[in-house]
Amino acid sequence: MQAVILAAGESSRFWPLNRYNKSLIKMMGKPLIWYTIEGLKKVRIKDIVIVQGAKKDIEKELKKYNFGIKIRYIIQPKAKGMGNALWQAKNILEDQFFVLDVVRIDCAEIIKKILSKESKTKTILVGQKTKRPQLFGIMRLNDDRVLEIIEKPKKNKEPSNIKVVGIYLLSRDFFDVYKSVKKNVYDFEKTLSIYMKNNKVKVVILDKSEENTPSLKYPWQLFEFIKYLFDYHLTSGIEKSAKIGKNVVLQGKIYIGNNVRIFENSVIKGPCYIGDDCVIGNNTLIREYSNLENNILIGANAEVTRCIFQEDVHIHSGFFGDSIFGKGCRVGAGTVTANVRIDRGEVKSVVKGEKIGTGLNSLGIIMGENSKMGINCSFMPGILIGSNCVVGPKSVVSENIGDNTVFYSEFKGIKKKKI
């Protein structure tokens, strides 16, 4: 059986981490799409078609790995939605195939449930209960048969509380319907709804909670992926070339990579992943689901909790909680990322000009690639900072900062300008 991985979307809601495809974010030394492919291999799917964007960034990254299976790449020239992406691959697809999101790192266990469904059904969808139906495609059901998909229904107008999970078992006659559908970003869902009127489409409803099934629309949802991967895939170990200083405390499940140096009196409380060539300064505390990729420098007297650092990030003393830093960021000493509101309520963030709830009571900052900040900066919870930015020393940041921006606050007000 074949699988089609859809990896050509622009992921505009994933800013400021969307300079490359979101599946190229690394965790435990591998891009997220690596875990999707490995999941497909576990269920013996060895013919994979990846629909990527014109940048071909997926293909460039995956050539570094030997998966031992057949992988073909198709280009979707412009991001026009799932239907158009799948259409690009129609000429090499067989009678029945899986379609899945690019970061379905839990695909193996879900596909096993699909395959256990009665074999006479050509098309099977996956559903899951949600408390936020306004954010998803929602199914109209009759027992285990899907009658319709309503995209982002209005409050109190939702046909059920079962959202569509991004794995589908489809057949080639899907394309016969797609040809006649008006084309837009939701034409995939519209095609499925029309297809359901003349064909039996069934659903497999997952029995686990929404929180335990990672999905990736917004950048802060990466924390769900870290928890899932650490809980199911992290293996403790210290590479022989690592050097651990005196009085260093290591507790829980921790991986420490090659040539890592951890200086005296530091404390690492797992689960944590520390990649190759990292340096951890004296008296530093790293704890609870922190992921440090290769070449990370953490200066003395820093606290890092539940953070995700991509490669080549340098930070110094300060507090970093529930935050994500893109590749190549530089952070001055004395920096504090506030990660909870004063009233301890849900942290909200501004995405594409709209303030939305994150579903989190703890969220620091999310910073794009190659941004820099001076000493003694303070950041309010839920702030997003673009790539290639400069934040001046002593700045207090309480609003998003766009890409390529110089920002610094003074006693007389705030100054912000494009580079």
Side-chain angles (χ1 to χ4, degrees):
M1 190 168 286
Q2 293 174 299
V4 183
I5 298 176
L6 303 182
E10 293 180 342
S11 303
S12 58
R13 289 170 291 191
F14 201 65
W15 182 85
L17 302 177
N18 63 344
R19 294 189 72 194
Y20 305 99
N21 190 278
K22 62 187 178 183
S23 70
L24 298 181
I25 293 289
K26 287 189 175 180
M27 294 187 179
M28 298 196 307
K30 300 289 194 306
L32 290 174
I33 190 172
W34 184 91
Y35 297 99
T36 302
I37 294 172
E38 287 295 315
L40 292 173
K41 286 174 59 179
K42 286 181 180 178
V43 290
R44 299 184 180 181
I45 294 177
K46 298 181 180 180
D47 185 357
I48 297 175
V49 179
I50 298 177
V51 183
Q52 62 179 337
K55 289 181 180 179
K56 297 184 179 180
D57 49 359
I58 299 287
E59 185 174 357
K60 292 174 184 175
E61 176 65 26
L62 292 185
K63 283 184 176 179
K64 301 175 184 177
Y65 306 96
N66 180 16
F67 292 101
I69 59 173
K70 185 177 183 179
I71 299 179
R72 289 176 282 181
Y73 298 92
I74 301 292
I75 294 176
Q76 184 185 25
K78 293 184 179 180
K80 295 183 178 181
M82 290 176 59
N84 181 266
L86 186 58
W87 181 262
Q88 309 304 314
K90 70 182 187 303
N91 292 333
I92 58 175
L93 294 179
E94 298 172 0
D95 291 341
Q96 203 171 27
F97 50 89
F98 285 99
V99 178
L100 62 158
D101 295 339
V102 65
V103 287
R104 260 320 357 147
I105 62 175
D106 55 352
C107 63
E109 55 187 288
I110 295 176
I111 288 176
K112 286 179 182 177
K113 292 185 178 182
I114 295 175
L115 294 176
S116 67
K117 199 78 172 175
E118 63 172 285
S119 59
K120 293 181 180 179
T121 305
K122 295 192 298 182
T123 301
I124 299 177
L125 309 186
V126 180
Q128 185 178 38
K129 290 182 180 180
T130 178
K131 298 178 181 178
R132 300 173 292 170
Q134 292 75 38
L135 299 179
F136 305 100
I138 301 298
M139 299 180 184
R140 188 186 305 279
L141 300 172
N142 182 7
D143 294 327
D144 68 342
R145 183 170 178 177
V146 188
L147 304 178
E148 189 181 10
I149 297 174
I150 307 297
E151 189 65 31
K152 297 180 181 178
K154 293 182 180 180
K155 192 172 184 178
N156 300 321
K157 299 291 184 180
E158 54 271 11
S160 72
N161 65 341
I162 304 298
K163 71 173 183 177
V164 178
V165 175
I167 297 183
Y168 312 81
L169 178 61
L170 302 181
S171 59
R172 280 197 60 84
D173 54 358
F174 172 90
F175 296 112
D176 297 333
V177 179
Y178 181 79
K179 287 188 293 187
S180 61
V181 171
K182 184 178 179 180
K183 303 302 183 285
N184 55 52
V185 293
Y186 296 125
D187 55 22
F188 178 84
E189 291 81 2
K190 182 64 176 178
T191 301
L192 280 177
S193 290
I194 296 173
Y195 182 89
M196 293 167 188
K197 294 179 180 179
N198 300 311
N199 299 273
K200 184 178 290 187
V201 176
K202 292 200 171 183
V203 61
V204 171
I205 297 179
L206 303 180
D207 55 8
K208 57 186 178 181
S209 69
E210 184 176 24
E211 291 75 16
N212 292 330
T213 303
S215 61
L216 196 56
K217 182 181 295 185
Y218 302 104
W220 53 81
Q221 291 174 324
L222 287 169
F223 295 115
E224 299 173 15
F225 282 74
I226 276 293
K227 190 172 190 312
Y228 181 91
L229 288 173
F230 278 20
D231 287 349
Y232 292 99
H233 297 283
L234 180 62
T235 301
S236 293
I238 302 175
E239 298 297 337
K240 292 181 179 180
S241 56
K243 296 181 179 180
I244 312 297
K246 292 181 179 180
N247 301 318
V248 170
V249 176
L250 303 176
Q251 296 179 353
K253 191 161 59 171
I254 301 168
Y255 172 80
I256 298 174
N258 290 300
N259 303 312
V260 171
R261 289 184 294 163
I262 302 179
F263 285 85
E264 293 82 358
N265 303 312
S266 292
V267 177
I268 317 291
K269 294 185 176 182
C272 288
Y273 174 90
I274 301 175
D276 297 340
D277 302 305
C278 292
V279 177
I280 311 299
N282 303 69
N283 308 306
T284 288
L285 170 62
I286 301 174
R287 61 188 177 94
E288 295 174 8
Y289 293 98
S290 286
N291 182 87
L292 312 182
E293 290 298 322
N294 296 343
N295 300 300
I296 303 299
L297 169 64
I298 297 180
N301 304 306
E303 180 178 353
V304 176
T305 179
R306 297 181 299 274
C307 285
I308 301 171
F309 289 8
Q310 295 299 282
E311 300 102 324
D312 194 36
V313 172
H314 293 192
I315 69 171
H316 299 278
S317 62
F319 173 75
F320 305 88
D322 302 283
S323 295
I324 304 172
F325 290 88
K327 184 177 180 180
C329 288
R330 298 291 184 268
V331 181
T335 295
V336 174
T337 63
N339 61 337
V340 294
R341 290 164 45 122
I342 293 176
D343 61 3
R344 299 305 190 261
E346 179 187 17
V347 177
K348 296 183 178 181
S349 192
V350 177
V351 177
K352 300 178 72 172
E354 179 184 0
K355 181 176 284 190
I356 62 172
T358 64
L360 301 173
N361 290 330
S362 296
L363 177 61
I365 69 169
I366 301 173
M367 177 176 283
E369 293 188 352
N370 301 316
S371 286
K372 300 174 176 63
M373 62 182 74
I375 61 170
N376 297 321
C377 292
S378 300
F379 296 85
M380 296 300 103
I383 296 300
L384 309 180
I385 300 168
S387 297
N388 302 311
C389 293
V390 176
V391 179
K394 295 186 178 181
S395 291
V396 178
V397 182
S398 57
E399 61 181 29
N400 288 355
I401 300 175
D403 294 330
N404 306 306
T405 300
V406 174
F407 177 102
Y408 59 99
S409 58
E410 298 180 329
F411 293 111
K412 296 182 180 180
I414 295 174
K415 291 188 177 182
K416 185 165 63 173
K417 67 178 181 179
K418 286 288 184 181
I419 295 175

